[in-house]
Amino acid sequence: PEMGRTLVELFYDVVSPYSWLGFEVLCRYQHIWNIDLRFRPAFLGGVMQATGNKPPAMLPKRAEYMLKDIKRMAKYYQVPVQISEDDFQRIFSTSNLGAMRFITAIDMTQPRYLETLSREFWMRFWSQVSIFTPNYIIFSQVARQAGLSPELSQKLLEMISSPAVKNRLKETTEEAIKYGAFGMPAVVAHFNGEPHLFFGSDRLELLGSVIGE
């Protein structure tokens, strides 16, 4: 980071609506706070498995609360998250590994598109909600929405199954775990020579206070 700027890393997965909320709020704060925001696409499934965590919605009372909570936060932060009970079930039955590899591939080739592409995946999964199944046709559509050329999109699709992309996603996920992450979003602020982990999208005021904002 530039002198005197705090590096803030956001470990996120587009399968997570809370990650979307945290992402949008940090995207806004990066223009106000003295921070360098670094997006770190990671795999939530890998974090859950490594830490023995369970999806919160598996507990019925918690799922009930999450629906209300996400709706309230979406309204408060003005992020167009649409969510219903069926969405939880649908999410558990799909793999988003391909989507996170696709996003990792853009991070490795054309990182300037990372923010837009990630947002388009959330829009597709959590706003237009009609189709959730991540497949290659959908990846191409999302890429087009994000302003990527068909050539670049094709290149990313070819990269998805490459060891380079798989390893990069795995390494980023392991890094999140090393910082203490057990779910997402995981926000790590590097301040006074040490990393400070904040979990979730509702700790950003606290993050601000720790880094002197």
Side-chain angles (χ1 to χ4, degrees), residues 3-211:
M3 273 302 288
R5 289 176 85 80
T6 301
L7 171 64
V8 174
E9 298 183 87
L10 170 66
F11 293 89
Y12 67 91
D13 187 322
V14 292
V15 79
S16 152
Y18 283 115
S19 286
W20 188 13
L21 293 161
F23 170 90
E24 293 298 356
V25 178
L26 282 172
C27 281
R28 294 167 199 171
Y29 280 153
Q30 71 177 330
H31 303 293
I32 308 164
W33 287 356
N34 196 21
I35 61 173
D36 276 323
L37 181 57
R38 189 173 168 208
F39 298 117
R40 305 295 310 276
F43 182 49
L44 179 57
V47 172
M48 301 291 266
Q49 201 181 348
T51 57
N53 198 351
K54 299 269 183 294
M58 286 178 76
L59 184 67
K61 278 291 168 206
R62 192 160 176 197
E64 211 176 288
Y65 173 79
M66 266 176 79
L67 277 179
K68 291 182 191 138
D69 188 49
I70 290 171
K71 282 176 183 161
R72 280 191 297 223
M73 287 187 80
K75 191 177 172 195
Y76 179 75
Y77 286 125
Q78 300 288 292
V79 178
V81 185
Q82 303 288 331
I83 189 169
S84 70
E85 268 174 80
D86 310 343
D87 295 329
F88 289 143
Q89 290 319 309
R90 202 175 46 215
I91 290 147
F92 294 147
S93 56
T94 39
S95 167
N96 57 307
L97 185 57
M100 291 317 297
R101 283 184 181 155
F102 192 81
I103 290 169
T104 298
I106 200 75
D107 189 22
M108 293 169 76
T109 48
Q110 302 274 351
R112 67 175 189 277
Y113 287 114
L114 183 57
E115 180 183 326
T116 324
L117 184 66
S118 300
R119 180 176 291 114
E120 287 300 336
F121 267 102
W122 273 305
M123 289 296 288
R124 170 58 64 109
F125 289 175
W126 288 108
S127 200
Q128 298 149 351
V129 166
S130 50
I131 1 176
F132 188 84
T133 323
N135 64 33
Y136 292 170
I137 299 156
I138 289 177
F139 295 168
S140 300
Q141 289 170 355
V142 172
R144 193 172 62 236
Q145 291 287 128
L148 276 63
S149 69
E151 296 75 31
L152 179 53
S153 181
Q154 189 51 43
K155 183 184 170 185
L156 299 177
L157 286 175
E158 286 161 14
M159 287 176 70
I160 283 183
S161 51
S162 72
V165 166
K166 290 179 176 176
N167 290 335
R168 169 72 169 265
L169 181 59
K170 197 163 171 268
E171 281 160 16
T172 307
T173 305
E174 282 165 0
E175 214 173 309
I177 294 163
K178 198 180 74 203
Y179 282 129
F182 50 87
M184 287 191 194
V187 181
V188 178
H190 297 267
F191 191 68
N192 282 345
E194 57 178 311
H196 299 258
L197 172 74
F198 298 87
F199 170 64
S201 47
D202 54 353
R203 286 291 180 270
L204 299 172
E205 291 81 3
L206 199 56
L207 159 71
S209 134
V210 167
I211 64 175

